[in-house]
Amino acid sequence: RSAMFPMGGMGPPPFAGDLTPEMRQKMRKIRYAVLGIFLAAVGRLCTGDMPLNELVVATVGVFLLKEDENLGACYACLMNSPLGQCAGPQGGGLACLSPFLFMASFNCFFLALRLFSGGPFIIISFVMQLAGAAYAWRLNQLVSAAAMEGLTGAGQGEPLNQSAQMRSMMGGDAG
């Protein structure tokens, strides 16, 4: 018999439960960042620049904020479009937190290269994506801690002893 390792999620377990007030506060701040990213995208479009990265990050931000009362209509519109098929089985929510964080951070790096030669909307985009990435990072820390706390409370966060680990790796009894 060959030993098999589970190939499940590589990060913290998914968070299941209600958001804490601190998490809701971070989501509200991310909402303002997403709206600012949309504003910067419209400004860049009006000045003849192509804001594709901003539109992608802002769209992921709308999927992240699917339960937000102010962006709910925008989310419903996106879900009824062909993009709704890309939202996955959960349809957005906290599953979009890591992609939003990654894309906003990545865009900030490349926007920083054009920061002083691109005009005011590049600066607005940079600031909003940097703020969105910072708040998404903080929210990710809170969600990860809450998910790990939920596992530890259920007794699943404790490490196995070495003989139990060997038995599970060998596919049964090790002796």
Side-chain angles (χ1 to χ4, degrees):
R1 290 188 290 202
S2 65
M4 297 186 67
F5 296 102
M7 297 302 290
M10 295 298 284
F15 176 72
D18 293 331
L19 297 178
T20 65
E22 191 176 2
M23 290 178 191
R24 290 185 192 283
Q25 180 186 26
K26 300 291 185 251
M27 291 287 265
R28 253 190 317 277
K29 291 179 180 179
I30 291 172
R31 174 185 59 201
Y32 293 125
V34 168
L35 292 174
I37 294 168
F38 271 125
L39 175 72
V42 169
R44 285 186 63 192
L45 192 61
C46 290
T47 59
D49 204 359
M50 189 59 182
L52 185 61
N53 293 338
E54 282 84 355
L55 292 174
V56 170
V57 169
T59 302
V60 172
V62 169
F63 280 112
L64 169 65
L65 298 164
K66 74 177 188 175
E67 296 174 6
D68 187 78
E69 62 275 358
N70 296 317
L71 291 176
C74 186
Y75 171 77
C77 180
L78 287 174
M79 282 304 288
N80 290 326
S81 75
L83 284 176
Q85 298 299 316
C86 300
Q90 295 176 341
L94 287 177
C96 293
L97 182 60
S98 293
F100 178 81
L101 172 60
F102 175 75
M103 286 189 273
S105 301
F106 199 68
N107 284 347
C108 282
F109 174 75
F110 287 106
L111 284 171
L113 300 175
R114 300 180 47 193
L115 201 56
F116 299 108
S117 64
F121 295 108
I122 294 281
I123 295 170
I124 293 171
S125 178
F126 176 79
V127 169
M128 290 295 131
Q129 289 189 63
L130 185 63
Y135 290 122
W137 174 262
R138 291 179 184 161
L139 179 61
N140 189 43
Q141 296 293 321
L142 292 172
V143 168
S144 297
M148 292 305 289
E149 185 177 294
L151 275 183
T152 304
Q156 295 181 9
E158 329 279 292
L160 297 173
N161 63 29
Q162 191 170 5
S163 64
Q165 283 179 338
M166 290 301 294
R167 277 196 300 267
S168 68
M169 286 176 59
M170 300 306 277
D173 292 331

